[in-house]
């Protein structure tokens, strides 16, 4: 049972209630969520009968805490920050409250269809998108100009390697390219899965046999390790989304391939030292364009174990609604609004004027296809993940072996052979293989 915090006597008369119902919101320490937390007072002023307690965690830690809590019916949280991987799987298991009675002014039909579909199970929403993203390439236009490089309409990974070599300048603290190296199914493997996809690989064949020791995986991961060792920053195996975002915004990376959600922060001169030199392009491709860029949404959901589902729904409808986007635009600037969730955001003249990358991001999200993300057929859905419960542990374990290859603790061939054996064992125990 959650403790209810008492409102001061001066607030009782204004609120007209005996006490405020306290809800605990667990979220990730990404920039958009930090803004959400900073606007707590705006929510509590509009809803004086509800108080927010925040639990803000690093991505890998958040996922571990939430998975443990919901699987054990722990009831620590009233609002969970989850994604398009967890939402349908947890909904099928009965772990989430269905969101089928949202108020009319929430405008469900305004949500982008690929995002809405990814957060649904059997046609019912189980999480509301706080922001959504695909992936793209950011680059320093000043460094490209100095090196005489012209960006391609659709860059290839071979071009990226050549460009990284031309602009790599470690003596002045600039790496040719920054990419995720921190192990985790949603960290290094989110990026690496798209790299494998575009090199023609897949996680499993049509019979659920793991493909981690295939030529396509070998080629893609060796390319990644060589690229990062030759032209990446020192300590890359410790860098996830937030670490690379910080480095790029300080001018320490010549190129960065990662989430489209970083565009607003990088384009904001108050947040980024390279705002005036920011260029962007589609995520690079190799053998095929299929699966070269991902589709993801960080979303807010209510666990079935919550003691306060009505108050929780009031909060998540507020945090993902049109009025919240207006509030952030007016208080933080339009490049800071949560991207990728609503048609109305991309029709907003303020956003169109201040965020020149908006149309590019919208196209990337709409063109990512979780049902057709690999060159060869697969039995699963997902671009940067496999939509099965076992993938969370599989992806994290594979991410750890590849991080070991990145640091030189093992060879790429040995890492992938180890990952193949471990994944085969997991799939056999889970009943996918004979």
């Amino acid at each position: 049972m959650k403790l209810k915090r008492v409102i001061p006597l001066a607030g009782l008369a204004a609120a007209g209630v005996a006490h405020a119902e306290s809800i605990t919101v667990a979220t990730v320490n990404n920039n958009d969520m930090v803004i959400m937390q900073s606007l707590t007072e705006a929510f509590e002023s509009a809803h004086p009968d509800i108080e927010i307690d925040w639990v803000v965690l690093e991505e890998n830690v958040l996922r571990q805490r939430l998975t443990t809590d919901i699987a054990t019916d722990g009831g620590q949280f009233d609002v969970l920050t989850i994604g398009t991987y967890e939402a349908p799987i947890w909904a099928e298991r009965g772990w989430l409250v269905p969101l089928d009675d949202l108020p009319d002014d929430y405008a469900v039909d305004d949500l982008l269809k690929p995002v809405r579909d990814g957060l649904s199970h059997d046609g019912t929403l189980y999480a509301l998108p706080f922001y959504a993203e695909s992936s793209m390439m950011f680059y320093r236009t000043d460094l490209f100009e100095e090196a005489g490089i012209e960006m391609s309409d659709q860059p290839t990974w071979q071009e990226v390697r050549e460009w990284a070599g031309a602009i790599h300048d470690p003596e002045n603290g600039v790496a040719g390219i920054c990419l995720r190296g921190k192990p985790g199914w949603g960290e290094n493997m989110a990026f690496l899965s798209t790299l494998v996809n575009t090199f023609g690989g897949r996680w499993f064949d049509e019979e659920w046999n793991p493909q981690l020791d295939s030529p396509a995986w070998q080629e893609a991961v060796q390319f990644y390790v060589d690229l990062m060792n030759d032209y990446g920053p020192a300590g890359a195996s410790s860098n996830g989304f937030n670490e690379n975002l910080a480095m790029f915004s300080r001018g320490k990376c010549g190129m960065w391939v990662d989430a489209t959600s970083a565009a607003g922060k990088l384009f904001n001169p108050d947040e980024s030292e390279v705002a005036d030199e920011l260029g962007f392009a589609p995520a690079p491709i190799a053998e095929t364009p299929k699966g070269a860029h991902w589709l993801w949404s960080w979303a807010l959901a209510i666990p079935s174990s919550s003691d306060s589902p009505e108050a929780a729904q009031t909060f998540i409808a507020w945090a993902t609604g049109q009025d919240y986007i207006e509030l952030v635009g007016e208080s933080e600037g339009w490049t800071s609004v949560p991207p990728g969730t609503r048609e109305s955001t991309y029709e907003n003249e303020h956003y169109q004027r201040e965020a020149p990358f908006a149309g590019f991001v919208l196209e990337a999200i709409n063109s990512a296809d979780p049902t057709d993300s690999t060159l060869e057929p697969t039995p699963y859905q997902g671009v940067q993940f496999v939509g099965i419960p076992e993938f969370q542990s599989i992806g994290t374990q594979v991410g750890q072996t590849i991080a070991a290859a990145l640091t030189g603790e093992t060879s790429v061939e040995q890492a992938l052979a180890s990952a193949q054996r471990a994944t085969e064992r997991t799939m056999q125990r889970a009943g996918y293989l004979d």
Side-chain angles (χ1 to χ4, degrees):
M1 182 67 66
K2 297 185 183 301
L3 297 176
K4 308 302 182 185
R5 296 182 299 176
V6 178
I7 297 178
L9 290 176
L12 292 177
V17 293
H19 62 270
E21 187 172 13
S22 177
I23 62 172
T24 302
V25 179
T27 195
V28 68
N29 63 341
N30 290 351
N31 183 63
D32 292 275
M33 283 70 170
V34 172
I35 292 174
M36 175 172 60
Q37 185 182 12
S38 74
L39 295 172
T40 300
E41 185 177 347
F43 172 79
E44 292 181 342
S45 295
H47 304 87
D49 56 335
I50 303 173
E51 279 190 329
I52 309 298
D53 291 330
W54 292 93
V55 177
V56 183
L57 301 167
E58 185 269 334
E59 182 173 325
N60 286 340
V61 177
L62 175 78
R63 286 191 164 115
Q64 184 179 29
R65 284 276 301 274
L66 296 191
T67 301
T68 300
D69 185 72
I70 201 163
T72 60
D73 200 29
Q76 295 182 54
F77 310 110
D78 300 291
V79 174
L80 312 176
T81 301
I82 62 174
T84 44
Y85 168 72
E86 295 96 345
I89 293 174
W90 291 6
E92 185 177 16
R93 293 182 169 187
W95 291 351
L96 302 177
V97 174
L99 303 172
D100 50 7
D101 62 345
L102 294 164
D104 290 341
D105 62 2
Y106 183 75
V108 171
D109 290 343
D110 186 45
L111 299 175
L112 296 176
K113 188 176 185 302
V115 177
R116 188 171 72 242
D117 290 347
L119 299 173
S120 299
H121 174 64
D122 286 343
T124 297
L125 267 172
Y126 282 86
L128 301 181
F130 182 67
Y131 73 80
E133 63 188 31
S134 184
S135 52
M136 62 194 290
M137 185 163 77
F138 305 99
Y139 65 98
R140 292 265 306 273
T141 56
D142 56 332
L143 299 184
F144 269 54
E145 184 176 351
E146 290 172 11
I149 302 169
E150 184 174 347
M151 174 57 68
S152 305
D153 291 337
Q154 173 57 73
T156 68
W157 277 109
Q158 187 55 46
E159 287 178 319
V160 167
R161 178 173 175 81
E162 294 170 1
W163 298 337
I167 62 178
H168 187 57
D169 188 8
E171 291 185 1
N172 289 303
V174 179
I177 188 166
C178 294
L179 298 171
R180 297 190 189 191
K182 179 186 293 185
W185 74 266
E187 280 283 9
N188 64 342
M189 294 316 301
F191 166 73
L192 281 164
S193 291
T194 64
L195 186 69
V196 169
N197 290 341
T198 194
F199 270 80
R202 53 185 174 169
W203 276 91
F204 301 97
D205 68 13
E206 292 179 279
E207 303 300 324
W208 289 106
N209 294 297
Q211 300 294 293
L212 298 166
D213 57 358
S214 66
W217 270 84
Q218 176 74 32
E219 184 180 5
V221 176
Q222 189 67 62
F223 176 88
Y224 161 78
V225 168
D226 291 344
L227 178 64
M228 293 299 287
N229 284 334
D230 290 344
Y231 307 123
S237 62
S238 299
N239 297 336
F241 171 78
N242 282 323
E243 291 82 5
N244 283 326
L245 173 62
M247 285 195 298
F248 192 95
S249 66
R250 297 198 307 269
K252 302 300 184 181
C253 305
M255 291 180 287
W256 180 35
V257 180
D258 213 297
T260 57
S261 57
K265 187 174 180 68
L266 293 177
F267 200 74
N268 183 346
D270 294 331
E271 301 280 349
S272 170
E273 297 176 22
V274 296
D276 292 337
E277 293 83 39
L278 179 64
F280 45 87
I285 64 173
E287 299 298 321
T288 176
K290 285 189 175 184
H293 59 280
W294 66 62
L295 178 65
W296 180 256
S297 173
W298 277 117
L300 304 178
I302 305 168
S304 301
S305 57
S306 170
D307 293 333
S308 306
E310 292 183 5
Q313 180 166 303
T314 298
F315 172 75
I316 68 173
W318 171 83
T320 63
Q322 292 170 315
D323 289 346
Y324 177 84
I325 290 173
E326 291 279 345
L327 173 63
V328 175
E330 293 171 1
S331 64
E332 307 293 327
W334 283 95
T335 58
S336 296
V337 303
T341 60
R342 291 184 171 273
E343 296 280 1
S344 56
T345 301
Y346 292 89
E347 295 168 356
N348 186 295
E349 61 180 13
H350 299 291
Y351 192 60
Q352 290 177 343
R353 181 173 61 251
E354 296 189 30
F357 49 80
F360 185 92
V361 171
L362 182 62
E363 171 61 24
I365 291 173
N366 284 332
S367 63
D369 187 355
T371 68
D372 185 23
S373 62
T374 57
L375 187 60
E376 296 181 275
T378 69
Y380 59 85
Q381 291 191 15
V383 181
Q384 79 282 16
F385 60 81
V386 177
I388 59 174
E390 296 77 14
F391 182 73
Q392 184 165 346
S393 62
I394 290 172
T396 296
Q397 186 169 25
V398 174
Q400 290 168 345
T401 64
I402 293 178
L406 181 59
T407 61
E409 295 176 35
T410 185
S411 69
V412 169
E413 184 177 4
Q414 291 170 331
L416 293 178
S418 174
Q420 174 75 10
R421 291 192 298 270
T423 305
E424 286 175 348
R425 288 194 298 270
T426 299
M427 297 300 281
Q428 286 170 346
R429 287 196 299 267
Y432 289 86
L433 303 175
D434 296 331

